[in-house]
């Protein structure tokens, strides 16, 4: 095993990990604000990416406009689901199990809808920055992967600034920590819950759009992204969206290093085995109890 091979695996792991982090941050933000485990988080990625593909190839939109519209569609889909389903069930005092079943059903419905309206073929987006690559110490990384990592890091930093330095973000955190207390101060708790789904939908769609130049998007992609995003969120502490970023990169690195250390056939086995060990040794997540309370 050469140094360049390990470095290549690290590049691939960080690239994949950023995608898992974006999906995981969206899932964690929704859980933090509503206590709903969103089993359809990966479908936000599929819908956002597929909309971007169709707007670019069928409607002839400029690439930047298609990306913005795809991410916005993910946010709007999140809002629609909260308003149409989650809000009603919350008024009926539905259990967490009921919300989980709801999101599983919605995931299957959206996946089937993509299959019906778009077909089973996979679709790719053009890579950001073209087909160029960078060579670092004999290891190769695509220009698109550099853009993906940069956008993912920027999204993580902006998310932290949003939660800690904006009125809406602070209100969302207050509503998630103590809904009754937040309501007495004039915060619209229901609206804050809707905003968490908007945020989750946006982050999920962004992750899907960024990964589509590397992996063809089709109706089946959502489940895999949901599982990896959920693993990232659990690793970082399920109530901490920013911890999901750490969890996502950790999962991506473990997965990538498993390929060169064991076999590509066992990458998921190794990655989730490591996840189990980490959660046994650190049940509060990688960042510990303090990180679990973070936002």
């Amino acid at each position: 095993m050469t140094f360049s091979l390990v470095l290549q695996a690290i590049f691939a792991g960080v690239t994949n990990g950023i995608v898992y982090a974006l999906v995981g941050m969206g899932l964690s933000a929704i859980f933090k604000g509503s206590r709903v485990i969103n089993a359809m988080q990966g479908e936000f990625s599929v819908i956002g990416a597929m909309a971007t593909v169709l707007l670019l190839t069928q409607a002839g939109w400029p690439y930047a406009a298609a990306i913005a519209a795809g991410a916005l569609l993910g946010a709007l889909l999140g809002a629609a689901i909260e308003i149409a389903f989650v809000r009603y069930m919350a008024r009926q005092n539905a259990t967490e199990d009921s919300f989980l079943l709801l999101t599983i059903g919605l995931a299957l419905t959206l996946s089937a809808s993509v299959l019906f309206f778009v077909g089973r073929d996979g679709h790719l987006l053009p890579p950001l920055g073209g087909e160029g690559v960078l060579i670092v110490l004999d290891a190769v990384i695509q220009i698109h992967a550099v853009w993906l990592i940069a956008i993912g890091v920027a999204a993580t930093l902006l998310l932290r600034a949003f939660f800690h330095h904006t009125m809406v973000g602070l209100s969302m955190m207050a509503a998630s920590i103590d809904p009754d207390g937040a309501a007495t101060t004039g915060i619209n708790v229901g609206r804050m819950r809707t905003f968490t789904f908007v945020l989750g939908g946006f982050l999920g769609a962004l992750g899907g759009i960024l990964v589509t130049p590397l992996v063809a998007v089709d109706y089946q992609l959502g489940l895999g992204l949901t599982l990896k995003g959920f693993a990232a969120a659990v690793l970082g502490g399920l109530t901490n969206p920013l911890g999901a970023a750490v969890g996502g990169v950790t999962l991506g690195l473990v997965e990538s290093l498993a390929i060169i250390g064991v076999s590509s056939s066992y990458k998921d086995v190794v990655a989730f085995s490591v996840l189990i060990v980490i959660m046994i040794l650190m049940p509060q997540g990688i960042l510990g109890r303090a990180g679990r309370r973070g936002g």
Side-chain angles (χ1 to χ4, degrees):
M1 184 184 303
T2 63
F3 176 75
S4 61
L5 184 59
V6 173
L7 187 59
Q8 187 75 61
I10 291 173
F11 286 158
V14 173
T15 301
N16 292 334
I18 290 294
V19 176
Y20 303 157
L22 288 170
V23 177
M25 285 192 295
L27 192 152
S28 184
I30 289 175
F31 181 78
K32 182 179 179 67
S34 66
R35 288 301 184 270
V36 173
I37 296 178
N38 183 25
M40 58 158 288
Q41 185 66 27
E43 304 310 321
F44 288 142
S45 303
V46 173
I47 296 298
M50 197 65 77
T52 303
V53 169
L54 295 177
L55 289 173
L56 181 66
T57 60
Q58 304 297 322
W61 283 34
Y63 198 6
I67 290 175
L72 178 61
L73 180 60
L76 293 176
L77 179 61
I81 287 170
E82 197 284 326
I83 293 170
F85 301 103
V86 175
R87 184 174 299 183
Y88 172 79
M89 291 180 64
R91 289 172 180 162
Q92 305 302 313
N93 296 317
T95 64
E96 292 184 1
D97 293 342
S98 299
F99 285 116
L100 179 59
L101 289 174
L102 167 70
T103 59
I104 291 174
L106 289 172
L108 295 174
T109 301
L110 289 173
S111 178
S113 298
V114 172
L115 174 62
F116 180 80
F117 289 106
V118 183
R120 61 178 63 249
D121 294 336
H123 299 270
L124 288 166
L125 285 169
L128 299 176
E131 300 289 345
V133 298
L134 293 177
I135 299 177
V136 181
L137 300 176
D138 293 330
V140 178
I141 182 171
Q142 296 182 20
I143 297 295
H144 174 79
V146 176
W147 274 103
L148 187 156
I149 294 169
I151 293 172
V153 171
T156 304
L157 295 176
L158 287 173
L159 183 64
R160 178 175 178 78
F162 171 76
F163 274 126
H164 291 277
H165 300 291
T166 68
M167 186 61 67
V168 174
L170 291 169
S171 298
M172 288 171 65
M173 290 186 66
S176 69
I177 295 170
D178 184 3
D180 294 334
T184 61
T185 65
I187 295 175
N188 188 324
V189 175
R191 184 179 300 169
M192 294 304 108
R193 186 174 60 236
T194 302
F195 286 166
T196 64
F197 274 82
V198 169
L199 185 59
F202 176 83
L203 290 170
L206 180 61
I209 293 167
L210 290 176
V211 79
T212 300
L214 303 175
V215 178
V217 62
D218 60 19
Y219 73 99
Q220 302 180 86
L221 183 64
L223 176 60
L225 288 178
T226 296
L227 291 176
K228 296 296 176 65
F230 181 71
V234 170
L235 276 172
L238 191 55
T239 57
N240 183 1
L242 300 177
V246 177
V249 173
T250 300
L251 182 63
L253 287 171
V254 171
E255 183 181 81
S256 184
L257 291 172
I259 293 176
I260 63 172
V262 186
S263 168
S264 60
S265 301
Y266 296 100
K267 67 173 185 177
D268 288 338
V269 174
V270 173
F272 284 106
S273 296
V274 171
L275 170 64
I276 292 171
V277 172
I278 290 175
M279 294 315 300
I280 291 173
L281 297 177
M282 293 179 287
Q284 298 296 330
I286 294 175
L287 301 183
R289 189 178 300 273
R292 198 172 184 85
R293 295 194 299 267

